[in-house]
């Protein structure tokens, strides 16, 4: 069985400061891990994905995430937040248990203040 | 624009009714996934079709069904609708090489269903 836990439901940062969105996962197999972003009244956009290659994954818009197997974590970071980063972020796990369908976390709402 | 299209964008209907949501995948993608996003349940996987065949099932109610047609578009049918079915329904597609492990899914803009 697989699951994903996003440790913070809301995160607030000031513009220009670092962003950290935390995610822990569990999976019986070697998982694929993703971060998706959803802007208000918009669909879901893939930020980045981990599929057992490099453990540090770079995504779009300056985001990156590090896969740490020993900690079963896949935290999302960005060195400097921009106002346009305000959105809902979803950590996602998939493995062969679900036929590689995506199992979403509850989401973290990122607020960026001026 | 992901290349995945969904119609209609909005749907308002009454309890007990039946509706059909439509999804056209990206050109070349063989897999279609349906997801439901609601305030209380979050984003949940409903069902997957691959090249016309059902491949995986998630938390899909018996009142819901789906199919994928020869041209690869898919329809999600929701019947005997209840107030709790009000949600945003997303379709996603992927090319699905190597059994799906390395394939990202591209999401459509969603259909917002309101059941009154």
């Amino acid at each position: 069985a697989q699951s994903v836990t996003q440790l913070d439901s809301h995160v607030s940062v000031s513009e220009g400061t670092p962003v950290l969105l935390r995610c822990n996962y569990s999976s019986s197999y070697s998982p694929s891990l993703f971060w998706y972003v959803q802007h208000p009244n918009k669909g879901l956009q893939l930020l980045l994905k981990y599929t057992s290659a490099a453990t540090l994954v770079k995504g779009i818009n300056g985001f990156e995430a590090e896969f740490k197997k020993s900690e079963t974590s896949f935290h999302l970071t960005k060195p400097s937040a921009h106002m346009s980063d305000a959105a809902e972020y979803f950590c996602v796990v998939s493995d062969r248990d679900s036929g590689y369908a995506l199992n979403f976390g509850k989401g973290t709402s990122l607020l960026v203040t001026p | 624009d992901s290349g995945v299209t969904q119609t209609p964008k909005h749907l308002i209907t009454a309890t007990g009714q039946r509706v059909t949501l439509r999804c056209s995948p990206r050109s070349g993608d063989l897999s279609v996934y349906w997801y439901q996003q609601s305030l209380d349940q979050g984003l949940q996987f409903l069902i997957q079709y691959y090249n016309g065949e059902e491949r995986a099932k998630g938390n899909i109610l018996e009142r819901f069904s789906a199919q994928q047609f020869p041209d690869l578009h898919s329809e999600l049918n929701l019947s005997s609708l209840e107030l709790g079915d009000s949600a945003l329904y997303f379709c996603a597609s992927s090319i699905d090489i190597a059994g799906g492990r390395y394939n990202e899914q591209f999401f459509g803009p969603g259909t917002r269903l309101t059941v009154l």
Side-chain angles (χ1 to χ4, degrees):
Chain A
Q2 53 174 236
S3 67
V4 61
T5 302
Q6 292 184 244
L7 298 168
D8 306 292
S9 57
H10 295 86
V11 169
S12 180
V13 300
S14 299
E15 190 176 20
T17 65
V19 176
L20 170 63
L21 305 184
R22 299 181 296 163
C23 173
N24 287 346
Y25 71 92
S26 69
S27 173
S28 303
Y29 306 99
S30 297
S32 295
L33 294 161
F34 308 82
W35 277 95
Y36 277 83
V37 62
Q38 185 178 29
H39 287 92
N41 299 313
K42 299 278 189 184
L44 291 148
Q45 181 184 21
L46 179 69
L47 277 179
L48 49 81
K49 65 178 179 180
Y50 165 79
T51 53
S52 80
T55 56
L56 183 62
V57 182
K58 294 192 184 298
I60 62 171
N61 300 333
F63 284 95
E64 61 182 40
E66 187 171 7
F67 173 72
K68 291 186 176 180
K69 187 174 181 179
S70 61
E71 299 175 12
T72 60
S73 69
F74 190 58
H75 301 333
L76 181 71
T77 60
K78 182 173 180 176
S80 176
H82 192 273
M83 296 296 291
S84 61
D85 294 329
E88 190 83 11
Y89 291 79
F90 294 94
C91 182
V92 183
V93 64
S94 77
D95 64 24
R96 67 185 208 198
D97 248 357
S98 66
Y100 296 104
L102 302 181
N103 186 359
F104 283 79
K106 295 288 188 190
T108 297
S109 179
L110 177 64
L111 175 66
V112 182
T113 57
Chain B
D1 183 0
S2 68
V4 178
T5 60
Q6 289 187 249
T7 55
K9 279 190 175 178
H10 303 276
L11 200 47
I12 301 175
T13 188
T15 54
Q17 296 297 305
R18 172 189 169 95
V19 297
T20 297
L21 313 183
R22 183 188 167 100
C23 168
S24 293
R26 293 187 321 153
S27 177
D29 284 359
L30 299 177
S31 263
V32 170
Y33 301 78
W34 286 97
Y35 294 86
Q36 179 195 59
Q37 185 177 32
S38 63
L39 282 174
D40 52 344
Q41 299 288 333
L43 261 161
Q44 289 193 103
F45 165 65
L46 295 178
I47 196 165
Q48 179 204 2
Y49 276 79
Y50 174 78
N51 204 20
E53 300 286 329
E54 181 185 304
R55 174 175 271 186
K57 252 183 177 177
N59 297 323
I60 188 165
L61 300 171
E62 283 193 14
R63 300 183 285 109
F64 296 0
S65 65
Q67 52 185 326
Q68 187 178 27
F69 295 86
D71 67 352
L72 300 178
H73 92 269
S74 178
E75 293 181 355
L76 179 67
N77 300 296
L78 315 176
S79 61
S80 303
L81 285 167
E82 302 175 0
L83 295 177
D85 298 327
S86 295
L88 193 52
Y89 291 85
F90 286 108
C91 164
S93 74
S94 73
I95 193 168
D96 221 1
I97 293 173
R101 173 168 168 73
Y102 300 108
N103 301 307
E104 66 183 84
Q105 295 179 26
F106 295 86
F107 281 77
T111 294
R112 184 168 295 281
L113 173 67
T114 303
V115 182
L116 301 176

